[in-house]
Structure formats: C-alpha cells, structure tokens
Amino acid sequence: MDFAQADALNQAIRLLSLRHRARAAALIAPLGLHPGQEALLLELDRTGPRIQAQLSEALGVEPPSVTLMARKLEASGHIRRSPAPSDRRASIVELTDSGRELAERVKEVWRGLAEETVAGLPAAAAAEIPGLLAAMTANVAPRRTGPGRARAADSGG
C-alpha cells in the first residue's frame, strides 16, 4: 500500500472513531451516562452478572476504568456490586431493575446511532461492516511483550 492510500485509510478510521464517540456521548448524555458506561450496561444486559475483571476484559478497558464506571452506576442505582463468594476481593456486578430499564433505552439509542452511521450505504455493504471492523480491530490488538504485559496502552473510559 502506498503512503497516500495508507494516509487516507488511517485518517478515515481516526475521523470516524472521533465522530462516532462524540455522537454517542451526545446521545447518551440525556440518559445521565458518560462514554463507556453504556457499554458496561449493555454487557451486563447481554451476559448477566459478571466479575469486574471479566467486564474489563469484555470491554477492552483497564480494571480501574471498570471500577470507576461501576462506582458511578452503583451510586445512581443502575447496578449492584457484591463480593464474589469464591474470592472476597473480587466484586460481582449486576443490573438492578433501573439498570435493565436504562439498558433498554441505551439499546434504542444504539440502534439509532448505527442507522445514522450507515445511512445511505447499501444494506449489503452495511451488513459487512461489523466483520470488517472486527478483523481490523484484531489486526491492531495489543501485542504481548511478556507474561500479562501489553505493549499498547488502553485508553478506555
């Protein structure tokens, strides 16, 4: 790939990422959420109760980010944390009734954002995008440089 093509690709990905994140933030703000919290709610809605370390792995963010999000969502009554029976140092996180209701509202916002994002594209092209993006994401996943050590820093929030 020549530089012009590489530059165009990298710039397009960067701009899409920035705009999508900003648009998502604007859409979830009226729900009282900050970026990243919607992903945590949707993960719990999809999987049921999880240990915070599992949430960190599933969301692709560092454990302190999950801890901060969980504290805020717990304070607002959307999740409940309790000690894991097998390891009292670990916390199990689960949705409350209000969290399940909020997750349903987030799903509506998420559907709208997805439709907005692919507006004007042929349905067949839009259907291919998740697979293409998953492959691209895997291509740039952090590489391990040693036991449990990632080379690339996580910027999740």
Side-chain angles (χ1 to χ4, degrees), residues 14-76:
R14 183 185 69 77
L15 190 56
L16 173 60
S17 176
L18 290 170
R19 288 187 180 176
H20 190 273
R21 184 169 172 89
R23 183 69 177 130
L27 291 170
I28 64 172
L31 302 178
L33 296 173
H34 297 282
Q37 292 177 333
E38 82 288 357
L40 190 148
L41 288 170
L42 292 174
E43 180 65 19
L44 290 173
D45 183 68
R46 192 174 16 260
T47 64
R50 304 284 299 270
I51 293 174
Q52 282 188 197
Q54 294 170 321
L55 285 170
S56 173
E57 181 71 24
L59 299 175
V61 299
E62 293 295 324
S65 296
V66 170
T67 299
L68 182 60
M69 286 188 280
R71 279 187 191 142
K72 290 179 180 179
L73 289 168
E74 185 177 37
S76 60

Side-chain angles (χ1 to χ4, degrees), residues 81-96:
R81 294 188 299 168
S82 57
S86 60
D87 181 355
R88 304 294 268 177
R89 296 170 298 165
S91 293
I92 296 177
V93 182
E94 63 182 315
L95 292 175
T96 61

